[in-house]
Amino acid sequence: AVEPEWATCAGGPPLLEAFRAGEIDVGFVGDTPPILAAAAGQDLVVVGAWRYTGDNFAVVVPPDSDVESVADLEGRTFAYQRGTALQSFAIRALDEAGLSESEIEVVDLSVLDVVAALKSGDVDAAVVVEPLLGQYRSEVPDARVVRDSEGLTTNLALIVTTEERLADDATAAAIGDLLVNLDDAFAWGAANRDELVRAFAEANSVDPDLARSLIESNGGNELIELPGDVVTDLQDLADDLATAGVIPEPIDASGIFDLRFSALNKESE
């Protein structure tokens, strides 16, 4: 067995840069970075996926804000990290409200910095992701969610690597082992919920009750079929990003996948 060396990237943009620099072999991302990589001609492919089961993002405004809906954000500061699933959610929420990014003032902050911006009053609204969302709402109970993520996100988590890495037999075998171990971990978590809650709470420095709530309402539970519905979701998102001008032209999302490990994945029940 190969013992992985773990690295932390604060969002999709630094992860894509780490791949370009040859510093990592495999990574976990949301739905948006592989689309941006494909649009830029970067070598990046999806080899596995799972899907969260609940709301993972929200547009949040601080206490005493006069913003009642996303439509009220016209001309105001709106914080989220560009190049990530948070931006995709923001774009879809804005479009639903009849707005575009050009009609707001985008404040590009990492997922770790948006809560601080809300607390300091530096922004009018922000996209906050779990578990930071649950933490913020428990610390600032008067803060309000003006749009949750229902219907606006794919809820996908993707395992990505490059064709260059997969050309090395040892690396490809290690990535296959990672996928097997990940699916085993999902099964272990379902059978050992209390231990999973303790581990999640410790790893994310959150209250155990919040950890349990997040896991029970919003946890992935297995690797899912590729390309299956995943390619449809990514194509729809890519089309939306092209319409919004985030990528210069539409792409064919079917080219994002490498299916050599498809036997390890399974159709969601």
Side-chain angles (χ1 to χ4, degrees):
V2 176
E3 183 67 27
E5 180 180 343
W6 298 101
T8 300
C9 295
L15 183 136
L16 293 184
E17 179 56 36
F19 271 116
R20 285 192 291 268
E23 295 175 347
I24 57 176
D25 297 309
V26 63
F28 299 85
V29 292
D31 53 23
T32 303
I35 294 170
L36 302 184
Q42 180 176 349
D43 178 11
L44 194 80
V45 289
V46 175
V47 293
W50 74 92
R51 199 183 296 272
Y52 292 106
T53 55
D55 290 335
N56 207 31
F57 310 135
V59 179
V60 182
V61 298
D64 303 322
S65 171
D66 62 350
V67 172
E68 298 292 339
S69 69
V70 175
D72 294 334
L73 292 176
E74 183 174 4
R76 305 213 191 187
T77 51
F78 189 13
Y80 47 85
Q81 187 174 16
R82 289 188 184 275
T84 69
L86 282 72
Q87 182 183 18
S88 293
F89 165 56
I91 286 171
R92 284 177 161 177
L94 289 167
D95 181 70
E96 180 184 62
L99 297 174
S100 66
E101 283 190 313
S102 65
E103 295 173 285
I104 61 167
E105 182 180 342
V106 179
V107 181
D108 186 6
L109 295 175
S110 78
V111 294
L112 302 177
D113 293 330
V114 292
V115 168
L118 278 174
K119 287 181 176 179
S120 65
D122 289 341
V123 296
D124 294 306
V127 175
V128 187
V129 63
E130 295 290 9
L132 300 174
L133 174 60
Q135 286 179 293
Y136 175 66
R137 297 193 71 190
S138 66
E139 295 169 2
V140 188
D142 291 335
R144 288 180 292 108
V145 168
V146 296
R147 181 60 164 99
D148 61 21
S149 61
E150 184 176 359
L152 297 184
T153 62
T154 67
N155 279 350
L156 287 169
L158 307 173
I159 302 103
V160 294
T161 184
T162 67
E163 293 290 5
E164 180 181 4
R165 303 302 194 281
L166 292 172
D168 179 81
D169 290 342
T171 301
I175 292 171
D177 287 343
L178 173 67
L179 292 173
V180 170
N181 291 335
L182 179 61
D183 211 33
D184 287 345
F186 282 134
W188 177 90
N192 299 272
R193 185 55 54 87
D194 290 344
E195 290 182 63
L196 177 62
V197 167
R198 284 195 294 271
F200 184 91
E202 181 178 345
N204 292 280
S205 300
V206 300
D207 181 85
D209 289 339
L210 174 59
R212 184 175 297 277
S213 175
L214 290 173
I215 288 170
E216 292 181 349
S217 67
N218 201 18
N221 55 21
E222 64 179 12
L223 295 178
I224 59 177
E225 181 185 20
L226 290 181
D229 292 340
V230 178
V231 69
T232 302
D233 288 342
L234 292 185
Q235 187 64 64
D236 289 345
L237 181 58
D239 292 345
D240 287 347
L241 294 179
T243 299
V246 176
I247 58 176
E249 58 186 21
I251 65 163
D252 180 1
S254 65
I256 293 176
F257 298 87
D258 186 297
L259 302 178
R260 70 185 66 198
F261 304 115
S262 58
L264 304 176
N265 303 316
K266 54 200 173 190
E267 186 172 3
S268 292
E269 297 178 356

